[in-house]
Amino acid sequence: MEIQSITLDVLREMQNVLSESAGYTVSIEDEIEYFGPNAAKSWYLIRGADGQILGFIRNFTQNSEWSLAELYIQPNIDNRRQITSSLLNVFKSTTSFPVGHRLRFDISSHDLEVNETLREEGFSEKCQTFLYFERSLNDRSYPLESDLVSLADAKSVAEVLNHLHPVSVDEAQKWIESKTIRGVKCDGEFVAAAQIYESDEALEVNRFATHELFLRRGFAKKLMEQIFVEAAALQKRRVYLKVEDTRLPAISFYKSLGFTESQDKRQTWHSRFY
Ligand SMILES: CC(C)(COP(=O)(O)OP(=O)(O)OC[C@H]1O[C@@H](n2cnc3c(N)ncnc32)[C@H](O)[C@@H]1OP(=O)(O)O)[C@@H](O)C(=O)NCCC(=O)NCCS
């Protein structure tokens, strides 16, 4: 077995394994775009004797506070624990983060070997389970509502999304500029916000919250229904999202809108604080 840095050329031959890890066909153009200038230092893959890619590890810095890492090991191969451990160790010895920085891995909850190895290697100071919810859309194409992408300022977007996780005004501004924020207003005030991503077949809802002072007034429902309309207009087959299993109001909310959980897509996240 051989560990090697992922370079741009290597990345180009990784579409299959990246798609297996993601659970959908990834766009190699998008992957190349994510490949930052520092990536070659901390993105690694491991090959078997025949050159086959057995697994990989890579991280995406979200902001100064946290990074999201991806670790995937092919199923049904020998020595999965040893391969996981080798990748984690090379990653650990070559990657540094500022003090207090949180590194998070999202791993299929069913992959016991990788989950256990992350624990053994000290990457699980904080663990949690993510449930995966999705809702299929019918074939009808709806007209796109004209106010769908009407936006508030970054400060209001950050304030609403803070109900979920801390969001800075700069981050909110970046998402507004990338046209990934959707929202609902009440009397001119921004009261519910979502951040969405588009893939070939689906829309992913990445962040979703109603302002704390405006709960249980139907604003989240209105926003999600707008997202369904937009997804249908973009010919998407489904809308999906991940939610922490402790967020009971959100789980009730998603179920009330027809989302169902795919238990086989449950993930355990592991966090390490530097
Ligand atoms: C989940 C959340 C977005 C719901 O926002 P909301 O604007 O209060 O929701 P709505 O008023 O549109 O509720 C629609 C339906 O969802 C369900 N629901 C919403 N909140 C609920 C709660 N606390 N308990 C049980 N069911 C709930 C109900 O069926 C509700 O209909 P009803 O009020 O007629 O009974 C909001 O609680 C929130 O921001 N939570 C914190 C952030 C979060 O966890 N986001 C999800 C991240 S993945």
Side-chain angles (χ1 to χ4, degrees):
M1 283 183 299
E2 189 201 350
I3 294 187
Q4 113 183 53
S5 286
I6 298 177
T7 60
L8 205 50
D9 282 343
V10 172
L11 188 65
R12 289 183 213 279
E13 59 164 300
M14 288 182 66
Q15 188 176 21
N16 286 349
V17 71
L18 293 174
S19 301
E20 283 163 29
S21 171
Y24 58 86
T25 307
V26 301
S27 138
I28 205 69
E29 287 76 29
D30 287 351
E31 292 296 332
I32 289 168
E33 211 171 292
Y34 306 147
F35 188 83
N38 297 324
K41 275 187 258 156
S42 56
W43 289 25
Y44 296 99
L45 61 72
I46 190 160
R47 291 187 193 271
D50 57 358
Q52 183 208 354
I53 298 173
L54 304 177
F56 67 89
I57 191 166
R58 59 180 182 162
N59 76 301
F60 300 92
T61 300
Q62 306 293 311
N63 57 40
S64 60
E65 282 166 23
W66 76 288
S67 296
L68 184 62
E70 187 178 7
L71 170 63
Y72 178 74
I73 310 297
Q74 296 276 14
N76 309 319
I77 57 170
D78 294 335
N79 303 322
R80 294 184 81 244
R81 278 173 205 266
Q82 190 201 330
I83 292 169
T84 309
S85 169
S86 305
L87 279 174
L88 284 171
N89 280 311
V90 71
F91 182 83
K92 220 186 312 190
S93 62
T94 54
T95 316
S96 59
F97 294 105
V99 174
H101 194 82
R102 180 164 71 104
L103 176 68
R104 193 184 93 194
F105 289 87
D106 297 350
I107 304 291
S108 164
S109 300
H110 304 282
D111 193 337
L112 301 181
E113 289 165 326
V114 172
N115 278 299
E116 275 166 23
T117 312
L118 276 160
R119 284 192 193 99
E120 284 160 16
E121 298 289 342
F123 282 88
S124 306
E125 288 169 43
K126 192 175 173 206
C127 274
Q128 195 153 1
T129 302
F130 271 128
L131 311 184
Y132 179 103
F133 277 92
E134 63 185 342
R135 186 186 188 278
S136 299
L137 300 169
N138 60 28
D139 285 334
R140 214 173 120 212
S141 184
Y142 301 88
L144 203 55
E145 283 180 15
S146 57
D147 68 345
L148 204 60
V149 288
S150 68
L151 291 175
D153 60 293
K155 191 165 166 281
S156 316
V157 171
E159 201 177 308
V160 173
L161 288 176
N162 271 335
H163 189 203
L164 173 63
H165 290 303
V167 165
S168 69
V169 174
D170 285 351
E171 281 174 309
Q173 183 60 39
K174 210 172 67 190
W175 299 332
I176 289 171
E177 283 165 16
S178 65
K179 299 192 171 18
T180 58
I181 293 290
R182 303 293 180 267
V184 159
K185 285 182 177 176
C186 171
D187 297 334
E189 200 169 338
F190 205 63
V191 292
Q195 195 207 4
I196 60 170
Y197 288 124
E198 188 182 340
S199 64
D200 278 355
E201 288 196 343
L203 274 194
E204 177 185 7
V205 178
N206 192 40
R207 292 180 172 80
F208 196 96
T210 297
H211 192 290
E212 280 173 287
L213 301 177
F214 292 85
L215 294 171
R216 294 308 282 267
R217 290 171 56 183
F219 294 120
K221 182 168 187 254
K222 185 167 179 212
L223 176 57
M224 190 60 91
E225 283 171 348
Q226 286 186 6
I227 291 172
F228 292 155
V229 169
E230 179 170 3
L234 293 168
Q235 313 289 321
K236 303 299 172 196
R237 313 288 304 175
R238 59 199 180 89
V239 173
Y240 71 93
L241 54 90
K242 294 197 285 191
V243 56
E244 291 148 352
D245 62 348
T246 48
R247 293 192 178 273
L248 301 181
I251 291 169
S252 298
F253 166 69
Y254 295 134
K255 286 183 176 166
S256 78
L257 281 173
F259 281 86
T260 52
E261 196 208 340
S262 298
Q263 291 208 3
D264 59 329
K265 292 188 177 157
R266 270 189 192 201
Q267 288 182 320
T268 303
W269 61 249
H270 301 255
S271 278
R272 173 178 177 161
F273 296 88
Y274 281 78

